[in-house]
Amino acid sequence: MATTGLGAALRHWRDRVPPRAAGLPAGGRRRAAGLRREELAQLAGISADYVIRLEQGRATSPSAQVVEALARALRLTRDERTHLFRLAGLAPPGPGTVPRHITPGVHRMLDRLEGTPVAVFNAAWNQMLANPLYTALMGEHRGDDLNGVRRTFLNPNARVRDTPESRGKLQAALVADLRHTAGTYPDDPGLRTLIAELRRRSPRFAELWESGAVGQHESARKTVDHPAVGALTLDCDVLSVAGSDLRIMVYTAEPGTEEADRLALLGVIGTQSLVEDRP
């Protein structure tokens, strides 16, 4: 039984999220109306034991990072997210910090794009959400590698082919984007830490940052060398969400092509392997 307002709210919100909406198989008999505790833990990147302790009132002071992850996994509205922060005894993030809220509409859009690799990033290029097909295509990123700028300059994805020209355009666009984000959200400590680390560890990033490089994201054709289905040449588009400063990255294949067939095959074997690999 939940013994705190925080625990009761978590249980209520967990019960209303259907497993399929979170990209999880419904499977078998379920006592939970919505997400199981271990499923919420998996989506939020925390332990199931911690979810249990929060719901039972044995843990009452989660960090801001945990609250943010729970709000995202539970698909909370902006007002519900603010309420969750206050239940946890925390001040909601201010206007000078990078927004980390994913609107219910964006969640629903991803639900309807099961056959399309899609990922959502915030204004600092932190990967907030990715559907199973995107993860199957690009690999599962963890920890610091969830940041697309950091990954580009310090640990490039070996699956994506590039040329010096395409790599240079992407790097310039990311640096210009990050500079704009730093000006828009000057109070974000994580963003300041990211920029300082990249300037220290990547001479190329430091050069572009100091030179005031300009660039913008454009539609591109990218070839991904996948270990299971081979090479896929796909269209990559970056879409912006008005009002929330989110970036949605979408990979698509032209219908009737070999790439479309391989992407469909990856939707079967790739997502199956992800489910099997999860505890």
Side-chain angles (χ1 to χ4, degrees), residues 150-174:
R150 188 184 187 282
R151 192 166 65 243
T152 296
F153 284 94
L154 301 181
N155 187 23
N157 191 325
R159 293 185 181 182
V160 180
R161 296 182 196 174
D162 58 17
T163 64
E165 181 182 8
S166 65
R167 183 167 57 250
K169 285 183 177 180
L170 174 61
Q171 290 175 338
L174 287 172

PDB file of all heavy atoms in Angstrom, residues 150-174:
ATOM      1  N   ARG A 150      27.931  14.716 -27.907  1.00  0.00           N
ATOM      2  CA  ARG A 150      29.077  14.053 -27.287  1.00  0.00           C
ATOM      3  C   ARG A 150      29.486  12.818 -28.077  1.00  0.00           C
ATOM      4  O   ARG A 150      30.674  12.574 -28.309  1.00  0.00           O
ATOM      5  CB  ARG A 150      28.731  13.668 -25.837  1.00  0.00           C
ATOM      6  CG  ARG A 150      29.909  13.143 -25.036  1.00  0.00           C
ATOM      7  CD  ARG A 150      29.458  12.705 -23.641  1.00  0.00           C
ATOM      8  NE  ARG A 150      30.596  12.366 -22.822  1.00  0.00           N
ATOM      9  CZ  ARG A 150      31.259  11.225 -22.904  1.00  0.00           C
ATOM     10  NH1 ARG A 150      30.893  10.307 -23.784  1.00  0.00           N
ATOM     11  NH2 ARG A 150      32.291  11.000 -22.118  1.00  0.00           N
ATOM     12  N   ARG A 151      28.491  12.048 -28.499  1.00  0.00           N
ATOM     13  CA  ARG A 151      28.773  10.834 -29.252  1.00  0.00           C
ATOM     14  C   ARG A 151      29.429  11.157 -30.598  1.00  0.00           C
ATOM     15  O   ARG A 151      30.361  10.486 -31.020  1.00  0.00           O
ATOM     16  CB  ARG A 151      27.468  10.061 -29.453  1.00  0.00           C
ATOM     17  CG  ARG A 151      27.660   8.643 -29.958  1.00  0.00           C
ATOM     18  CD  ARG A 151      26.379   7.848 -29.803  1.00  0.00           C
ATOM     19  NE  ARG A 151      25.287   8.349 -30.644  1.00  0.00           N
ATOM     20  CZ  ARG A 151      24.158   8.845 -30.168  1.00  0.00           C
ATOM     21  NH1 ARG A 151      23.951   8.930 -28.868  1.00  0.00           N
ATOM     22  NH2 ARG A 151      23.206   9.269 -30.989  1.00  0.00           N
ATOM     23  N   THR A 152      28.960  12.201 -31.260  1.00  0.00           N
ATOM     24  CA  THR A 152      29.505  12.571 -32.566  1.00  0.00           C
ATOM     25  C   THR A 152      30.976  12.946 -32.481  1.00  0.00           C
ATOM     26  O   THR A 152      31.779  12.563 -33.341  1.00  0.00           O
ATOM     27  CB  THR A 152      28.698  13.744 -33.167  1.00  0.00           C
ATOM     28  OG1 THR A 152      27.359  13.313 -33.397  1.00  0.00           O
ATOM     29  CG2 THR A 152      29.306  14.224 -34.471  1.00  0.00           C
ATOM     30  N   PHE A 153      31.341  13.686 -31.444  1.00  0.00           N
ATOM     31  CA  PHE A 153      32.722  14.174 -31.350  1.00  0.00           C
ATOM     32  C   PHE A 153      33.654  13.229 -30.597  1.00  0.00           C
ATOM     33  O   PHE A 153      34.864  13.230 -30.865  1.00  0.00           O
ATOM     34  CB  PHE A 153      32.738  15.556 -30.674  1.00  0.00           C
ATOM     35  CG  PHE A 153      32.287  16.665 -31.571  1.00  0.00           C
ATOM     36  CD1 PHE A 153      30.962  17.073 -31.573  1.00  0.00           C
ATOM     37  CD2 PHE A 153      33.171  17.285 -32.438  1.00  0.00           C
ATOM     38  CE1 PHE A 153      30.526  18.087 -32.407  1.00  0.00           C
ATOM     39  CE2 PHE A 153      32.752  18.302 -33.279  1.00  0.00           C
ATOM     40  CZ  PHE A 153      31.421  18.708 -33.274  1.00  0.00           C
ATOM     41  N   LEU A 154      33.127  12.429 -29.680  1.00  0.00           N
ATOM     42  CA  LEU A 154      34.005  11.606 -28.850  1.00  0.00           C
ATOM     43  C   LEU A 154      33.871  10.112 -29.103  1.00  0.00           C
ATOM     44  O   LEU A 154      34.813   9.364 -28.843  1.00  0.00           O
ATOM     45  CB  LEU A 154      33.732  11.884 -27.361  1.00  0.00           C
ATOM     46  CG  LEU A 154      33.925  13.327 -26.887  1.00  0.00           C
ATOM     47  CD1 LEU A 154      33.631  13.426 -25.393  1.00  0.00           C
ATOM     48  CD2 LEU A 154      35.327  13.822 -27.207  1.00  0.00           C
ATOM     49  N   ASN A 155      32.728   9.667 -29.604  1.00  0.00           N
ATOM     50  CA  ASN A 155      32.516   8.233 -29.791  1.00  0.00           C
ATOM     51  C   ASN A 155      31.544   7.992 -30.944  1.00  0.00           C
ATOM     52  O   ASN A 155      30.421   7.536 -30.739  1.00  0.00           O
ATOM     53  CB  ASN A 155      31.962   7.611 -28.499  1.00  0.00           C
ATOM     54  CG  ASN A 155      31.891   6.097 -28.574  1.00  0.00           C
ATOM     55  OD1 ASN A 155      32.606   5.460 -29.347  1.00  0.00           O
ATOM     56  ND2 ASN A 155      31.011   5.514 -27.777  1.00  0.00           N
ATOM     57  N   PRO A 156      31.972   8.291 -32.181  1.00  0.00           N
ATOM     58  CA  PRO A 156      31.069   8.199 -33.334  1.00  0.00           C
ATOM     59  C   PRO A 156      30.474   6.804 -33.498  1.00  0.00           C
ATOM     60  O   PRO A 156      31.125   5.802 -33.198  1.00  0.00           O
ATOM     61  CB  PRO A 156      31.973   8.551 -34.526  1.00  0.00           C
ATOM     62  CG  PRO A 156      33.106   9.322 -33.929  1.00  0.00           C
ATOM     63  CD  PRO A 156      33.321   8.739 -32.563  1.00  0.00           C
ATOM     64  N   ASN A 157      29.236   6.758 -33.974  1.00  0.00           N
ATOM     65  CA  ASN A 157      28.558   5.486 -34.213  1.00  0.00           C
ATOM     66  C   ASN A 157      29.195   4.793 -35.410  1.00  0.00           C
ATOM     67  O   ASN A 157      29.136   5.292 -36.541  1.00  0.00           O
ATOM     68  CB  ASN A 157      27.066   5.728 -34.464  1.00  0.00           C
ATOM     69  CG  ASN A 157      26.269   4.434 -34.456  1.00  0.00           C
ATOM     70  OD1 ASN A 157      26.739   3.388 -34.887  1.00  0.00           O
ATOM     71  ND2 ASN A 157      25.047   4.511 -33.961  1.00  0.00           N
ATOM     72  N   ALA A 158      29.796   3.637 -35.155  1.00  0.00           N
ATOM     73  CA  ALA A 158      30.516   2.934 -36.214  1.00  0.00           C
ATOM     74  C   ALA A 158      29.586   2.393 -37.289  1.00  0.00           C
ATOM     75  O   ALA A 158      30.033   2.017 -38.373  1.00  0.00           O
ATOM     76  CB  ALA A 158      31.340   1.798 -35.618  1.00  0.00           C
ATOM     77  N   ARG A 159      28.273   2.340 -37.017  1.00  0.00           N
ATOM     78  CA  ARG A 159      27.342   1.797 -38.003  1.00  0.00           C
ATOM     79  C   ARG A 159      27.054   2.776 -39.147  1.00  0.00           C
ATOM     80  O   ARG A 159      26.659   2.359 -40.230  1.00  0.00           O
ATOM     81  CB  ARG A 159      26.017   1.410 -37.338  1.00  0.00           C
ATOM     82  CG  ARG A 159      26.129   0.251 -36.373  1.00  0.00           C
ATOM     83  CD  ARG A 159      24.760  -0.158 -35.855  1.00  0.00           C
ATOM     84  NE  ARG A 159      24.860  -1.257 -34.900  1.00  0.00           N
ATOM     85  CZ  ARG A 159      23.820  -1.843 -34.319  1.00  0.00           C
ATOM     86  NH1 ARG A 159      22.593  -1.436 -34.595  1.00  0.00           N
ATOM     87  NH2 ARG A 159      24.005  -2.836 -33.470  1.00  0.00           N
ATOM     88  N   VAL A 160      27.198   4.060 -38.902  1.00  0.00           N
ATOM     89  CA  VAL A 160      26.828   5.059 -39.901  1.00  0.00           C
ATOM     90  C   VAL A 160      28.043   5.434 -40.737  1.00  0.00           C
ATOM     91  O   VAL A 160      29.047   5.920 -40.215  1.00  0.00           O
ATOM     92  CB  VAL A 160      26.241   6.315 -39.223  1.00  0.00           C
ATOM     93  CG1 VAL A 160      25.850   7.353 -40.272  1.00  0.00           C
ATOM     94  CG2 VAL A 160      25.042   5.947 -38.368  1.00  0.00           C
ATOM     95  N   ARG A 161      27.942   5.223 -42.046  1.00  0.00           N
ATOM     96  CA  ARG A 161      29.005   5.647 -42.943  1.00  0.00           C
ATOM     97  C   ARG A 161      28.956   7.168 -43.104  1.00  0.00           C
ATOM     98  O   ARG A 161      27.889   7.762 -43.145  1.00  0.00           O
ATOM     99  CB  ARG A 161      28.838   5.017 -44.321  1.00  0.00           C
ATOM    100  CG  ARG A 161      28.941   3.514 -44.380  1.00  0.00           C
ATOM    101  CD  ARG A 161      28.813   3.062 -45.822  1.00  0.00           C
ATOM    102  NE  ARG A 161      28.525   1.632 -45.931  1.00  0.00           N
ATOM    103  CZ  ARG A 161      28.264   1.022 -47.083  1.00  0.00           C
ATOM    104  NH1 ARG A 161      28.240   1.737 -48.209  1.00  0.00           N
ATOM    105  NH2 ARG A 161      28.014  -0.277 -47.094  1.00  0.00           N
ATOM    106  N   ASP A 162      30.113   7.770 -43.192  1.00  0.00           N
ATOM    107  CA  ASP A 162      30.121   9.195 -43.509  1.00  0.00           C
ATOM    108  C   ASP A 162      31.347   9.525 -44.346  1.00  0.00           C
ATOM    109  O   ASP A 162      32.245   8.690 -44.543  1.00  0.00           O
ATOM    110  CB  ASP A 162      30.077  10.057 -42.245  1.00  0.00           C
ATOM    111  CG  ASP A 162      31.244   9.789 -41.290  1.00  0.00           C
ATOM    112  OD1 ASP A 162      32.241   9.184 -41.724  1.00  0.00           O
ATOM    113  OD2 ASP A 162      31.146  10.184 -40.113  1.00  0.00           O
ATOM    114  N   THR A 163      31.366  10.719 -44.871  1.00  0.00           N
ATOM    115  CA  THR A 163      32.490  11.248 -45.630  1.00  0.00           C
ATOM    116  C   THR A 163      33.010  12.460 -44.866  1.00  0.00           C
ATOM    117  O   THR A 163      32.309  12.994 -43.990  1.00  0.00           O
ATOM    118  CB  THR A 163      32.043  11.675 -47.029  1.00  0.00           C
ATOM    119  OG1 THR A 163      31.097  12.772 -46.901  1.00  0.00           O
ATOM    120  CG2 THR A 163      31.381  10.518 -47.782  1.00  0.00           C
ATOM    121  N   PRO A 164      34.213  12.925 -45.180  1.00  0.00           N
ATOM    122  CA  PRO A 164      34.683  14.147 -44.507  1.00  0.00           C
ATOM    123  C   PRO A 164      33.709  15.313 -44.665  1.00  0.00           C
ATOM    124  O   PRO A 164      33.513  16.096 -43.728  1.00  0.00           O
ATOM    125  CB  PRO A 164      36.019  14.423 -45.208  1.00  0.00           C
ATOM    126  CG  PRO A 164      36.505  13.064 -45.622  1.00  0.00           C
ATOM    127  CD  PRO A 164      35.270  12.319 -46.022  1.00  0.00           C
ATOM    128  N   GLU A 165      33.058  15.392 -45.831  1.00  0.00           N
ATOM    129  CA  GLU A 165      32.114  16.494 -46.057  1.00  0.00           C
ATOM    130  C   GLU A 165      30.863  16.341 -45.192  1.00  0.00           C
ATOM    131  O   GLU A 165      30.442  17.301 -44.521  1.00  0.00           O
ATOM    132  CB  GLU A 165      31.705  16.542 -47.525  1.00  0.00           C
ATOM    133  CG  GLU A 165      30.730  17.677 -47.836  1.00  0.00           C
ATOM    134  CD  GLU A 165      30.287  17.681 -49.293  1.00  0.00           C
ATOM    135  OE1 GLU A 165      30.615  16.720 -50.017  1.00  0.00           O
ATOM    136  OE2 GLU A 165      29.606  18.637 -49.692  1.00  0.00           O
ATOM    137  N   SER A 166      30.273  15.145 -45.194  1.00  0.00           N
ATOM    138  CA  SER A 166      29.056  14.955 -44.403  1.00  0.00           C
ATOM    139  C   SER A 166      29.340  15.063 -42.914  1.00  0.00           C
ATOM    140  O   SER A 166      28.543  15.611 -42.158  1.00  0.00           O
ATOM    141  CB  SER A 166      28.417  13.598 -44.731  1.00  0.00           C
ATOM    142  OG  SER A 166      29.262  12.518 -44.332  1.00  0.00           O
ATOM    143  N   ARG A 167      30.485  14.556 -42.489  1.00  0.00           N
ATOM    144  CA  ARG A 167      30.840  14.646 -41.075  1.00  0.00           C
ATOM    145  C   ARG A 167      31.049  16.107 -40.673  1.00  0.00           C
ATOM    146  O   ARG A 167      30.608  16.539 -39.609  1.00  0.00           O
ATOM    147  CB  ARG A 167      32.105  13.834 -40.797  1.00  0.00           C
ATOM    148  CG  ARG A 167      32.516  13.821 -39.336  1.00  0.00           C
ATOM    149  CD  ARG A 167      33.577  12.770 -39.060  1.00  0.00           C
ATOM    150  NE  ARG A 167      34.761  12.950 -39.888  1.00  0.00           N
ATOM    151  CZ  ARG A 167      35.131  12.139 -40.880  1.00  0.00           C
ATOM    152  NH1 ARG A 167      34.400  11.076 -41.167  1.00  0.00           N
ATOM    153  NH2 ARG A 167      36.216  12.385 -41.599  1.00  0.00           N
ATOM    154  N   GLY A 168      31.703  16.885 -41.534  1.00  0.00           N
ATOM    155  CA  GLY A 168      31.933  18.297 -41.230  1.00  0.00           C
ATOM    156  C   GLY A 168      30.643  19.087 -41.133  1.00  0.00           C
ATOM    157  O   GLY A 168      30.478  19.939 -40.251  1.00  0.00           O
ATOM    158  N   LYS A 169      29.695  18.806 -42.044  1.00  0.00           N
ATOM    159  CA  LYS A 169      28.405  19.502 -42.005  1.00  0.00           C
ATOM    160  C   LYS A 169      27.644  19.171 -40.727  1.00  0.00           C
ATOM    161  O   LYS A 169      27.055  20.056 -40.093  1.00  0.00           O
ATOM    162  CB  LYS A 169      27.569  19.125 -43.224  1.00  0.00           C
ATOM    163  CG  LYS A 169      28.021  19.779 -44.519  1.00  0.00           C
ATOM    164  CD  LYS A 169      27.076  19.402 -45.657  1.00  0.00           C
ATOM    165  CE  LYS A 169      27.465  20.091 -46.942  1.00  0.00           C
ATOM    166  NZ  LYS A 169      26.546  19.736 -48.069  1.00  0.00           N
ATOM    167  N   LEU A 170      27.657  17.889 -40.343  1.00  0.00           N
ATOM    168  CA  LEU A 170      26.948  17.486 -39.126  1.00  0.00           C
ATOM    169  C   LEU A 170      27.572  18.126 -37.903  1.00  0.00           C
ATOM    170  O   LEU A 170      26.866  18.644 -37.026  1.00  0.00           O
ATOM    171  CB  LEU A 170      26.972  15.963 -38.998  1.00  0.00           C
ATOM    172  CG  LEU A 170      26.383  15.392 -37.697  1.00  0.00           C
ATOM    173  CD1 LEU A 170      24.910  15.768 -37.561  1.00  0.00           C
ATOM    174  CD2 LEU A 170      26.563  13.876 -37.644  1.00  0.00           C
ATOM    175  N   GLN A 171      28.893  18.121 -37.830  1.00  0.00           N
ATOM    176  CA  GLN A 171      29.561  18.710 -36.674  1.00  0.00           C
ATOM    177  C   GLN A 171      29.271  20.199 -36.556  1.00  0.00           C
ATOM    178  O   GLN A 171      28.977  20.702 -35.471  1.00  0.00           O
ATOM    179  CB  GLN A 171      31.067  18.465 -36.770  1.00  0.00           C
ATOM    180  CG  GLN A 171      31.467  17.011 -36.568  1.00  0.00           C
ATOM    181  CD  GLN A 171      32.957  16.780 -36.780  1.00  0.00           C
ATOM    182  OE1 GLN A 171      33.634  17.572 -37.457  1.00  0.00           O
ATOM    183  NE2 GLN A 171      33.471  15.725 -36.194  1.00  0.00           N
ATOM    184  N   ALA A 172      29.331  20.916 -37.676  1.00  0.00           N
ATOM    185  CA  ALA A 172      29.057  22.357 -37.645  1.00  0.00           C
ATOM    186  C   ALA A 172      27.617  22.632 -37.224  1.00  0.00           C
ATOM    187  O   ALA A 172      27.347  23.553 -36.436  1.00  0.00           O
ATOM    188  CB  ALA A 172      29.342  22.970 -39.011  1.00  0.00           C
ATOM    189  N   ALA A 173      26.678  21.821 -37.735  1.00  0.00           N
ATOM    190  CA  ALA A 173      25.267  22.017 -37.376  1.00  0.00           C
ATOM    191  C   ALA A 173      25.039  21.765 -35.896  1.00  0.00           C
ATOM    192  O   ALA A 173      24.302  22.510 -35.231  1.00  0.00           O
ATOM    193  CB  ALA A 173      24.393  21.092 -38.219  1.00  0.00           C
ATOM    194  N   LEU A 174      25.669  20.732 -35.352  1.00  0.00           N
ATOM    195  CA  LEU A 174      25.489  20.415 -33.935  1.00  0.00           C
ATOM    196  C   LEU A 174      26.087  21.496 -33.036  1.00  0.00           C
ATOM    197  O   LEU A 174      25.496  21.866 -32.023  1.00  0.00           O
ATOM    198  CB  LEU A 174      26.115  19.057 -33.621  1.00  0.00           C
ATOM    199  CG  LEU A 174      25.362  17.832 -34.139  1.00  0.00           C
ATOM    200  CD1 LEU A 174      26.192  16.577 -33.931  1.00  0.00           C
ATOM    201  CD2 LEU A 174      24.003  17.699 -33.453  1.00  0.00           C
TER     202      LEU A 174
END
